[in-house]
Amino acid sequence: MAHAFLSTGSGTPSVGVPVPAFAGVAPASERGGAPERSASQIRVSQASFHYGAKQALFDISFDIPPRLVTAFIGPSGCGKSTLLRTFNRLNDTIPGARLQGRVEIDGENIYGPSADVVDLRRRVGMVFQKSNPFPKSIFENAAYGIRVNGLASSRSDLHGQVEESLKAAALWDEVKDRLRDSALSLSGGQQQRLCIARALAVRPEILLMDEPASALDPIATQRIEELIYELKRDYTIVIVTHNMQQAARISDYTAFFWLGRLIEYERTEKIFTAPGEKLTEDYVTGRFG
């Protein structure tokens, strides 16, 4: 595998980062060999990010393949969530925030002058750390994006799409007889799956998840992980997690970040069994972080 050595922007090479090239999309059980980069869905090229005068990301370059799970790991404050939010431009709402470099989705520069941010956020859904259902009924939560984007041609079509999204989020059987109940009456795990259903309802291509199970109990966490495994058949999933075991269980590729830099990016199996960087090994084995 060819390795790319990232530059800090000062002309001094930073840590050597293996940048895998995605060739075909193999299931997690067949993680062998390096795929070609031509199959990447998200491409990050020399991306640096600032919050005002503070630099949060340094010269990040790597590719994310379609219909697999990619996990971002690293200590708090290392830039994982900042990078995740660049993929649907949620950082745009922060005064003084700015990106240098390039982020492409399906070959399109999403920070280019012709980029449609509204359409981007439909194509790239987001699930946050804390479930955030609207104070509306379960049905209205799932229907919200469908209504706003005008995706339903009739009332029956709307009901069918709501049912489809709730089934995709593995929630339909639990709520089909109480769709008019408040979403706030659901358990924490059910609320998070409702938020996933709400994101899926607008038919995204990519699903971003920022620690989606960190506030849930072990049983609810297992349901979310099982759901992620099912969803990757149809969606590209990028997840931020502080849980090493979770990253090892559910992801196909893992990126390790430290102090705003991408230290290593490889197949998950390799990251956790034979990392190429000593810093990665120290982190995944619990020596710091």
Side-chain angles (χ1 to χ4, degrees), residues 16 25 31 45 60 83 91 95-96 99 119-120 133 155 198 208 210 212:
V25 177
R31 295 173 182 153
S45 303
I60 305 292
L83 180 61
N91 292 322
L99 176 82
D119 182 63
L120 172 69
R155 180 174 294 273
R198 191 174 65 200
L208 310 178
D210 195 351

Side-chain angles (χ1 to χ4, degrees), residues 46-59:
Q46 297 179 310
S48 296
F49 194 89
H50 292 77
Y51 294 107
K54 180 182 178 182
Q55 187 165 357
L57 296 173
F58 297 82
D59 202 25

Side-chain angles (χ1 to χ4, degrees), residues 194-243:
L194 178 60
C195 293
I196 293 172
R198 191 174 65 200
L200 297 178
V202 296
R203 307 169 194 167
E205 303 163 16
I206 298 166
L207 193 60
L208 310 178
M209 296 184 163
D210 195 351
E211 298 190 68
S214 64
L216 304 180
D217 61 65
I219 294 176
T221 295
Q222 182 180 358
R223 295 295 302 275
I224 295 293
E225 290 182 2
E226 291 171 347
L227 176 58
I228 291 170
Y229 186 82
E230 293 296 320
L231 288 175
K232 74 173 183 178
R233 292 180 301 185
D234 300 306
Y235 305 94
T236 299
I237 298 175
V238 187
I239 180 171
V240 166
T241 181
H242 278 101
N243 187 322

Side-chain angles (χ1 to χ4, degrees), residues 2-8 12-19 46 59 61 277:
H3 288 186
F5 289 86
L6 304 187
S7 167
T8 61
T12 303
S14 67
V15 180
V17 180
V19 181
Q46 297 179 310
D59 202 25
S61 295
E277 299 292 333

